[in-house]
């Protein structure tokens, strides 16, 4: 379970998930609660391309959702050579400690001055990028070159594209490089999924994709727990969610752990609000007891604005 003490004292630092660093285009380090250290993000969705429209989206914000739709047709190519150089410089500065002499990173608590991962995430869904596989290749190359064997390669995904052969091949490369897939599963029923994630890809596709990949390699499941119009997840929905997890495991899927988190920053919809710590803990306990899986909780913070 996440210890809140280190994080609570450094709320400003960890709330700062700015995708800009040192005027770089694609690569940005953050002090990450979920990584318990430095996570070096690669933003391969600079236009915010995503096929989910989560009510809780904390990267796009309300005003950018329509803009994102427009940008889909106009996806700029990633300059992979620029991305590679930025990653090399950022990883080097993070590993040799230079990062912690810069700006707000100087406030990073000692316990979090470690590089946990290189994360392909950013402002949208990374697997929608036509250059996803190439980006994994670049990340694997730089990680190897800098002898960063302990640094994981993480992909944070909404799981809608995992069935595509090119994505599957990219995931294999990722797993061969100390990789982890953090797959989003926010619901147990199609109705709740549509309420929260608002996506045209069917819920069955998401479940099938997660199950298929979990049968090949252990996955991390990421679940957002929140209040909608003041109401938290119902008992019925929670039961359905637990059953989904149990079914994935019963069919041979392996789940390393479940990350349960709530809202920490401004959301796309104002009616999406964080759960309080006690309720998040109680839900985590139930999920842990009923699935026998490891859970981690990440508390919310005051919504700003
Ligand atoms: S999947 Fe991520 S980027 Fe896409 S809408 Fe949801 S929170 Fe935002």
């Amino acid at each position: 379970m996440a210890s809140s003490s280190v994080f609570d004292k450094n709320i400003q630092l960890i709330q700062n998930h700015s995708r800009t660093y040192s005027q770089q285009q694609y690569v940005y380090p953050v002090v990450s609660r979920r990584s318990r250290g430095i996570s070096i993000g690669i933003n391969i969705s600079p236009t915010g391309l995503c096929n989910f429209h989560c009510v809780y989206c904390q990267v796009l914000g309300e005003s950018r959702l329509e803009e994102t739709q427009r940008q889909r047709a106009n996806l700029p190519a990633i300059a992979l050579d620029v991305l590679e150089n930025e990653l090399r410089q950022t990883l080097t500065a993070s590993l040799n400690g230079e990062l912690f002499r810069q700006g707000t990173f100087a406030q990073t608590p000692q316990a979090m001055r470690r590089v946990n991962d290189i994360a392909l995430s950013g402002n949208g869904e990374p697997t929608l990028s036509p250059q996803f596989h190439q980006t994994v290749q670049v990340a694997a190359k730089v990680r190897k070159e800098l002898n960063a064997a302990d640094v994981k390669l993480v992909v944070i995904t909404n799981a809608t594209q995992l069935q595509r052969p090119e994505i599957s091949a990219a995931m294999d490369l990722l797993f061969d490089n100390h990789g982890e897939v953090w797959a989003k599963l926010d619901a147990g029923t199609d109705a709740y999924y549509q309420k929260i994630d608002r996506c045209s890809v069917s819920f069955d596709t998401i479940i099938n994709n997660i199950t298929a990949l979990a049968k090949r390699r252990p996955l991390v499941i990421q679940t957002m727990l929140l209040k909608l119009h003041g109401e938290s997840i119902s008992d019925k929905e929670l039961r359905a969610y637990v059953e989904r997890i149990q079914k994935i495991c019963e069919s041979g899927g392996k789940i390393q752990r479940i990350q349960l988190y709530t809202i920490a920053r401004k959301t796309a919809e104002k009616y999406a609000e964080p759960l309080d710590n006690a309720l998040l803990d109680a839900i985590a306990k139930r999920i842990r007891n009923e699935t026998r899986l490891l859970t981690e909780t990440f508390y919310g913070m005051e919504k700003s604005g």
Side-chain angles (χ1 to χ4, degrees):
M1 188 168 298
S3 151
S4 52
S5 58
V6 171
F7 303 126
D8 289 348
K9 285 184 203 138
N10 296 280
I11 277 174
Q12 273 194 325
L13 185 64
I14 60 176
Q15 276 188 318
N16 180 11
H17 274 214
S18 165
R19 263 77 176 163
T20 54
Y21 163 72
S22 203
Q23 299 185 325
Q24 294 189 161
Q25 251 181 291
Y26 306 109
V27 178
Y28 58 96
V30 293
V31 181
S32 162
R33 290 191 298 168
R34 271 172 272 170
S35 292
R36 297 161 197 269
I38 300 296
S39 175
I40 298 177
I42 300 180
N43 186 5
I44 57 170
S45 315
T47 62
L49 179 68
C50 189
N51 53 354
F52 270 27
H53 288 104
C54 304
V55 293
Y56 60 80
C57 185
Q58 297 166 118
V59 291
L60 300 180
E62 197 169 17
S63 61
R64 292 223 28 223
L65 287 177
E66 279 182 20
E67 189 188 329
T68 301
Q69 304 275 21
R70 282 200 300 277
Q71 285 168 336
R72 280 185 184 192
N74 246 334
L75 197 61
I78 300 286
L80 288 164
D81 53 338
V82 174
L83 188 152
E84 182 176 328
N85 280 335
E86 290 182 0
L87 181 59
R88 188 174 291 110
Q89 282 170 19
T90 309
L91 184 56
T92 301
S94 305
L95 291 171
N96 69 16
E98 190 193 323
L99 179 75
F100 305 111
R101 292 192 284 279
Q102 298 174 17
T104 53
F105 289 102
Q107 300 163 31
T108 308
Q110 212 55 43
M112 295 180 84
R113 291 186 178 210
R114 52 176 285 279
V115 188
N116 185 70
D117 56 77
I118 298 166
L120 282 79
S121 55
N123 288 345
E125 171 51 40
T127 60
L128 288 174
S129 166
Q131 289 163 291
F132 177 72
H133 194 163
Q134 289 166 295
T135 306
V136 175
Q137 285 173 328
V138 167
K141 178 184 161 190
V142 173
R143 178 183 165 274
K144 203 168 195 173
E145 181 190 305
L146 297 182
N147 293 317
D150 293 340
V151 176
K152 294 177 190 170
L153 286 193
V154 171
V155 169
I156 304 171
T157 177
N158 64 20
T160 56
Q161 306 298 307
L162 297 178
Q163 78 285 10
R164 287 169 44 208
E166 64 271 32
I167 300 300
S168 183
M171 293 306 179
D172 282 341
L173 178 62
L174 179 103
F175 285 125
D176 290 344
N177 284 276
H178 198 18
E180 278 185 0
V181 174
W182 298 3
K184 194 184 276 295
L185 181 65
D186 291 335
T189 63
D190 181 57
Y192 196 61
Y193 159 71
Q194 288 304 342
K195 238 188 220 182
I196 304 261
D197 297 330
R198 304 187 294 190
C199 178
S200 59
V201 176
S202 75
F203 190 53
D204 282 348
T205 301
I206 306 272
I207 293 290
N208 291 341
N209 283 354
I210 289 177
T211 305
L213 190 59
K215 282 185 184 176
R216 286 168 49 208
R217 310 277 188 141
L219 299 187
V220 176
I221 297 289
Q222 262 199 353
T223 300
M224 164 60 83
L225 292 163
L226 74 173
K227 281 193 231 163
L228 295 180
H229 302 287
E231 295 283 323
S232 64
I233 185 169
S234 69
D235 187 67
K236 191 173 156 211
E237 183 60 37
L238 192 53
R239 207 174 324 128
Y241 168 85
V242 165
E243 283 169 12
R244 294 282 184 184
I245 297 282
Q246 288 168 333
K247 274 202 185 127
I248 293 169
C249 296
E250 282 161 17
S251 65
K254 293 207 168 37
I255 296 175
Q256 262 189 46
R257 61 188 191 278
I258 303 178
Q259 297 181 338
L260 300 163
Y261 67 115
T262 191
I263 289 165
R265 293 188 292 282
K266 193 172 178 181
T267 54
E269 303 292 355
K270 289 193 177 72
Y271 61 78
E273 294 180 296
L275 282 195
D276 63 47
N277 301 351
L279 186 52
L280 192 60
D281 283 343
I283 293 175
K285 189 175 173 192
R286 176 168 169 188
I287 293 172
R288 207 162 45 243
N289 288 343
E290 294 183 15
T291 63
R292 296 298 187 209
L293 292 168
L294 184 68
T295 61
E296 297 174 309
T297 52
F298 299 93
Y299 295 152
M301 288 162 211
E302 296 267 313
K303 281 179 82 176
S304 58

